[in-house]
Amino acid sequence: MAPPANHPQTPAERLVALSIEWTWPLWLVGGLYIAGPVLGWTLAGMVALAVYLDGLPGNGGKPANTPFAIQAWLLGMAAMLVILWIGHANFDLGMGKTVKSSIGWAKGWALIALFPLAGAVLKIRPEVIYRAVCKLGLHTLIVLPILVTAPYIGLPELLWVSPLKVLGGAGPDYFAAQLYTIEPGAGTPRWQFFAPWSPAAGLMGVICVLLAVREPRLGWKSIGIAGGMALALFSQSRLALVALVVIAPLVWGIARLDRWWIWLIAAPIALAFGLFGHTLIDLADTAINEFSSARADSSRVRAALGRIAIDRWQTEAFWFGHGVVENGPHLVEFMPIGSHHSWYGLLFVKGILGAIALAVPIAITLGVLFVRSLSDATAQSGLTMTLVLSLYSFGENLEILAYLYWPALVVIGAALSAPKPKKATGKAA
């Protein structure tokens, strides 16, 4: 009897599934930030071994082709490292900082290429990830009552900071078992779950919901969606709510562009927009202002960090950037310049060439998966994840959170590796 489609069948699938299912225990011991890069480079080693074995004469003598979009990711993220070296050389930052930043690249930008590569070459099936994400949702729902009641029954905000932080090289936020935080100014609790901060938990909530919806078993699907929604709602992330409202219907519509009734529905909508376009734009502008004012201090700091990043990029390091992150002035509470925004951060640290190195693979991936999503369920999942990361690139630094959202990257790689489209069997997210 053949095992279920969502049951891990290869070493790579077992590693991926166990890593997702063990998220909460790893968070408790402060090991998530270390586990992500270790898993990424372990899978990269398995890819190298698979390519070598496929190339042996007894196996045909020719390794499987890597999809063009995956090659774009590999070249783009490799370019990030070269650009980093040039930026360090331009500002004479020294060998010590160059080595440290190169290690940071291996734990960040490199993973954004290695996980899709693993999903493509190792043929990791998305169904395995769907089920594992649903199990993560179950674990989240189990610990949710403790987290939600913690600020009201006197439990401390911070349980502890793991001594594993000495191995990571990042700040203590990545190794802290934080039950909740108190929102400055409002004095209300906010939850970040297993993420280093609340908006990152919102990102994981969006990813979990949009992956869990692909799970075929209704029971597990419901649990996975409920767990992901808990992450998104209790993180109080505005961007998470926008992503859930916008991306799922968008992909649902894209997957049905080849059906006549979609165009029948779209025609009056387009007509209405043409007739009432100015009013709709005014409403959107009002909504954006209310969105920003919902957490005014945060929006002010983000905007100031962006302005500083753009000004210093244009005047000081247009092509290759400054090479390293710098803290801003008191105006932005000494937060890193360009943080909270992948593009501002890239322009400041790696210049216009760094931004291009990320933009090109994203554009290619969106184009390929857009076409395939018309007839392939896996491509629809990959497109959904790519759209989520594209949206979040304007609110988070994708590099520093790659250790957390890597299941989305594996799904993108699996979607890009599909040899040819096949008819979708499930509902689009």
Side-chain angles (χ1 to χ4, degrees):
M1 186 181 204
N6 49 36
H7 183 76
Q9 297 177 14
T10 66
E13 290 183 346
R14 294 187 190 97
L15 277 176
V16 166
L18 286 174
S19 298
I20 296 173
E21 294 167 17
W22 279 74
T23 294
W24 278 105
L26 286 170
W27 165 81
L28 187 61
V29 300
L32 273 180
Y33 185 74
I34 298 173
V38 169
L39 176 64
W41 284 99
T42 299
L43 292 175
M46 296 172 70
V47 167
L49 179 61
V51 171
Y52 170 74
L53 293 177
D54 286 345
L56 293 177
N59 295 327
K62 185 178 179 181
N65 292 327
T66 303
F68 173 71
I70 298 294
Q71 295 177 31
W73 280 108
L74 292 171
L75 290 173
M77 298 308 103
M80 292 286 193
L81 181 60
V82 177
I83 293 167
L84 181 149
W85 290 338
I86 296 174
H88 276 245
N90 288 342
F91 286 88
D92 297 321
L93 296 179
M95 182 58 69
K97 285 189 175 181
T98 301
V99 171
K100 182 178 179 181
S101 294
S102 299
I103 295 174
W105 168 86
K107 296 185 296 183
W109 292 118
L111 300 183
I112 298 179
L114 294 181
F115 280 114
L117 175 67
V121 176
L122 299 178
K123 306 299 181 184
I124 298 173
R125 291 166 300 134
E127 293 82 3
V128 173
I129 296 178
Y130 303 157
R131 176 59 61 87
V133 163
C134 290
K135 291 181 179 179
L136 173 59
L138 174 61
H139 303 160
T140 300
L141 294 175
I142 290 173
V143 302
L144 184 62
I146 299 174
L147 296 176
V148 171
T149 58
Y152 304 105
I153 62 177
L155 293 180
E157 294 182 41
L158 177 66
L159 287 182
W160 74 319
V161 177
S162 171
L164 292 175
K165 67 179 182 179
V166 300
L167 302 176
D173 289 342
Y174 300 92
F175 302 93
Q178 189 96 23
L179 293 181
Y180 62 93
T181 58
I182 299 298
E183 186 69 16
T188 56
R190 192 180 184 190
W191 290 267
Q192 60 195 59
F193 298 92
F194 48 79
W197 45 78
S198 296
L203 165 62
M204 291 306 300
V206 173
I207 289 173
C208 288
V209 168
L210 296 178
L211 291 179
V213 77
R214 296 286 181 179
E215 164 62 39
R217 292 283 296 274
L218 180 60
W220 277 117
K221 177 189 293 189
S222 301
I223 291 171
I225 292 175
M229 288 298 296
L231 292 174
L233 295 176
F234 283 96
S235 69
Q236 301 175 28
S237 169
R238 298 165 293 172
L239 191 55
L241 299 180
V242 171
L244 287 173
V245 170
V246 172
I247 291 178
L250 179 62
V251 175
W252 183 88
I254 291 174
R256 291 161 174 79
L257 283 177
D258 58 344
R259 304 181 189 183
W260 64 270
W261 52 267
I262 279 289
W263 295 98
L264 192 65
I265 295 173
I269 295 175
L271 178 61
F273 188 83
L275 294 175
F276 306 105
H278 290 294
T279 302
L280 294 173
I281 291 172
D282 290 340
L283 289 174
D285 187 56
T286 301
I288 291 172
N289 290 333
E290 292 179 354
F291 182 86
S292 298
S293 62
R295 197 165 285 118
D297 289 341
S298 174
S299 298
R300 176 188 60 79
V301 170
R302 286 172 182 264
L305 287 169
R307 289 194 300 269
I308 294 170
I310 292 296
D311 180 69
R312 292 193 56 188
W313 158 64
Q314 291 177 332
T315 58
E316 298 174 6
F318 183 83
W319 291 105
F320 298 98
H322 293 78
V324 292
V325 177
E326 297 179 18
N327 290 331
H330 177 71
L331 171 68
V332 292
E333 303 173 9
F334 305 105
M335 298 187 72
I337 297 172
S339 60
H340 303 89
H341 199 294
S342 291
W343 303 105
Y344 290 157
L346 267 175
L347 290 172
F348 182 80
V349 178
K350 293 182 171 63
I352 189 65
L353 295 180
I356 293 173
L358 177 62
V360 170
I362 287 179
I364 293 174
T365 300
L366 286 172
V368 171
L369 295 180
F370 179 90
V371 174
R372 292 186 179 182
S373 66
L374 298 176
S375 56
D376 181 55
T378 299
Q380 293 163 19
S381 293
L383 178 62
T384 302
M385 294 298 100
T386 308
L387 288 172
V388 169
L389 297 183
S390 299
L391 176 62
Y392 264 88
S393 70
F394 296 95
E396 290 287 348
N397 284 104
L398 295 182
E399 169 200 16
I400 200 63
L401 294 177
Y403 80 96
L404 199 60
Y405 64 76
W406 60 264
L409 297 172
V410 177
V411 171
I412 291 171
L416 291 171
S417 71
K420 53 184 176 181
K422 53 185 177 182
K423 190 65 178 176
T425 56
K427 294 181 179 180

